[in-house]
Amino acid sequence: MKSAILSALVGILAVVPAIAQPETTARSVRHVATANRAATFRPAPSGFIGGAQVYPWSEGTIYIAYTAPGLVTDIVLQPGESLVAVASGDTARWVIGDTTSGSGETKQTHLLVKPFSDGLMTNLVVTTDRRTYHVRLVSTSATALSSMRWTYPQDELLALRRKADAERAAAPIATGLSVETLHFNYAISGDRPGWRPLRAFDDGQRTYVEFPASLASNEAPPLFLVDREGKAELVNYRLSGRFYVVDRIFDAAELRLGLKKQQVVRIDRIAPAAKRRGA
């Protein structure tokens, strides 16, 4: 009796995974289909420039390209981007080739796509030296995109930041300065690290601390103001090229860097000598 029950239980346990597997697979397939639909970009009226569909590029997005028999759809990559490989799910019923236009920094890769008939659908994976594109090719009876390409918001933002950084680096540390208004009566003492300032000066309102060009490749030291009792307090300043600009005049300050073996460079403002009578 016990052996019969055990045999029955074994049989049930053997059948349950077989029943559960199709349900799990179907559920997973639905999840994939839902994710693909959410990640798919289709042509929109606002995305056309002339006859070209322009998509904003983002990682993991699937882009629809409508094609038609007898017509070539041009898929254009970013200028300067180099093609690494192209893979398609159906190479028997689609003609897929590549060419280039322009030269130097303006050189662009073009993928040329044409289906043999309408009612076809496959995918295209394009890898370059910068990113990976996922394109879904759909063939219609007569309507096709003449071309499609992308904008690259992240690249454009980085380019703007680089331009702004270059402009700030090239800009003067201040405007309206003249040698007559500058005071160089500052002494620099203490340690001699690679970032030790070359000089300090003020224009009567702001103090400027000039560093060597190597500051760009080293960790920048924080600046502390030191009062008469020797108490140090971190001061607000801004970095302009290789200058620290402090919006005040100070008598003593210290640049400190490191914890266990701290490097300290002191900057002291020296009171100008009083003019002798009759001088």
Side-chain angles (χ1 to χ4, degrees):
M1 182 67 177
K2 289 183 178 180
S3 62
I5 294 174
L6 288 173
S7 298
L9 288 174
V10 170
I12 292 172
L13 291 174
V15 172
V16 168
I19 296 174
Q21 187 173 358
E23 294 179 357
T24 303
T25 301
R27 186 165 56 250
S28 298
V29 169
R30 289 196 297 271
H31 293 334
V32 172
T34 300
N36 285 344
R37 284 195 298 271
T40 299
F41 267 33
R42 300 177 182 275
S46 59
F48 279 93
I49 298 179
Q53 172 65 41
V54 182
Y55 289 114
W57 188 87
S58 62
E59 184 72 37
T61 300
I62 302 169
Y63 302 95
I64 296 290
Y66 289 108
T67 65
L71 299 174
V72 173
T73 295
D74 181 14
I75 301 176
V76 189
L77 305 186
Q78 187 180 29
E81 189 172 19
S82 298
L83 182 66
V84 175
V86 179
S88 174
D90 182 358
T91 56
R93 297 181 294 176
W94 295 78
V95 176
I96 302 171
D98 65 270
T99 187
T100 60
S101 65
S103 61
E105 294 182 355
T106 62
K107 184 177 181 179
Q108 287 183 279
T109 297
H110 300 253
L111 299 177
L112 307 177
V113 180
K114 182 175 70 172
F116 286 145
S117 62
D118 62 339
L120 302 179
M121 184 173 67
T122 189
N123 71 317
L124 197 65
V125 179
V126 182
T127 56
T128 74
D129 61 342
R130 297 178 182 175
R131 56 184 63 85
T132 300
Y133 299 85
H134 296 272
V135 179
R136 183 174 299 161
L137 302 176
V138 179
S139 67
T140 70
S141 59
T143 302
L145 289 173
S146 62
S147 66
M148 60 180 277
R149 56 186 174 86
W150 289 265
T151 58
Y152 304 88
Q154 291 183 342
D155 288 15
E156 292 165 6
L157 179 59
L158 288 174
L160 288 174
R161 287 178 178 173
R162 285 194 294 268
K163 181 180 178 181
D165 290 342
E167 290 175 349
R168 281 196 297 269
I173 58 172
T175 56
L177 291 180
S178 63
V179 175
E180 291 79 11
T181 63
L182 301 182
H183 310 99
F184 292 88
N185 53 312
Y186 290 83
I188 298 175
S189 59
D191 296 327
R192 294 184 174 274
W195 47 261
R196 180 184 170 105
L198 301 175
R199 63 182 61 86
F201 57 92
D202 70 72
D203 62 359
Q205 295 181 330
R206 290 171 292 273
T207 305
Y208 305 87
V209 181
E210 182 182 359
F211 291 87
S214 60
L215 180 70
S217 58
N218 293 312
E219 185 178 358
L223 181 67
F224 297 85
L225 296 190
V226 182
D227 61 19
R228 294 182 179 179
E229 286 74 32
K231 183 179 177 181
E233 179 183 357
L234 190 65
V235 66
N236 290 328
Y237 59 90
R238 61 185 181 276
L239 179 64
S240 178
R242 54 193 179 94
F243 289 84
Y244 280 8
V245 182
V246 185
D247 290 321
R248 58 178 294 184
I249 307 299
F250 58 77
D251 291 323
E254 289 182 352
L255 294 156
R256 302 177 181 180
L257 188 61
L259 296 174
K260 292 184 179 180
K261 191 176 180 181
Q262 192 175 59
Q263 296 173 312
V264 180
V265 176
R266 186 177 175 92
I267 304 172
D268 290 287
R269 185 164 67 97
I270 303 171
K275 285 188 176 182
R276 289 178 298 173
R277 185 174 300 176

